[in-house]
Amino acid sequence: MGKLSAAILGSIIGAFVAVAAIVFWFGWGLPAQGQVAHIDPTRADYVDLLLTVATIFLGAVGLAVTVGALVIGLVALKTLREIKDEAASEAKTAAATKITETMEADLDPKVDKKVREILPLGLQVVLADDEHRDEILKALVRTGALDAAVGRVIERINAGGPVMDPQDVVEGGDQD
């Protein structure tokens, strides 16, 4: 606020200095010199000059106020935009946190309970149907999930004895 007051006071003093310089430059302040080529200025000339300077001064003050208002408006707009963005971000984070908490507290236990109740019976019904069983086995064969199991069965059928699986070997134990 001190810089603004200093600027306004400096502009007022500068305006008075400018008026005094114009009066001195044109010789209006010294009527006793007796210049014959110029008519001595009248009171109306001084009034016109002062009104002109006052108009220029008021215009400058109005321009300064307008520019200041524009700057303040732009700063306020930027600040409001930042506040809006920050509030939106915080709201999204809070909503995501609340949704996660609600799902973990309410939805997950209920869904798990229902799945555990219904899934075994549903799997038995689906597996009992020949059409679905064939589709499941075909899908397992296509993906290669049954390769190891089928290999062990074929080895057992061909060898006629226990299958020697490296995972079944117990170190230091008897393998009969």
Side-chain angles (χ1 to χ4, degrees), residues 46-132:
Y46 286 116
V47 170
D48 288 343
L49 177 65
L50 290 177
L51 287 176
T52 303
V53 169
T55 303
I56 292 171
F57 174 72
L58 289 176
V61 169
L63 182 65
V65 168
T66 304
V67 169
L70 285 174
V71 169
I72 290 171
L74 290 174
V75 169
L77 179 66
K78 182 179 178 188
T79 304
L80 288 175
R81 185 177 296 141
E82 289 173 357
I83 289 171
K84 179 191 71 142
D85 292 343
E86 184 177 331
S89 174
E90 293 294 327
K92 285 179 185 178
T93 304
T97 303
K98 184 64 178 171
I99 288 170
T100 304
E101 289 174 1
T102 303
M103 286 181 64
E104 289 175 357
D106 296 339
L107 193 59
D108 285 348
K110 291 177 183 176
V111 169
D112 286 343
K113 181 181 175 187
K114 291 292 183 183
V115 166
R116 287 190 184 125
E117 289 175 2
I118 296 172
L119 187 61
L121 179 61
L123 281 176
Q124 288 175 1
V125 170
V126 169
L127 289 175
D129 186 13
D130 289 336
E131 181 182 325
H132 290 108

Side-chain angles (χ1 to χ4, degrees), residues 13-14 22-23 34-35 37 63 71 75 90 108 112 114 121-122 128 134 155 157 160 165-166 169-170 175:
I13 292 172
I22 290 173
V23 168
Q35 296 177 351
L63 182 65
V71 169
V75 169
E90 293 294 327
D108 285 348
D112 286 343
K114 291 292 183 183
L121 179 61
D134 291 341
E155 187 178 328
I157 290 171
D165 190 5
V169 174
V170 177
Q175 298 295 318

Side-chain angles (χ1 to χ4, degrees), residues 140-153:
L140 289 172
V141 169
R142 283 187 192 124
T143 60
L146 294 178
D147 289 349
V150 170
R152 285 194 306 267
V153 169

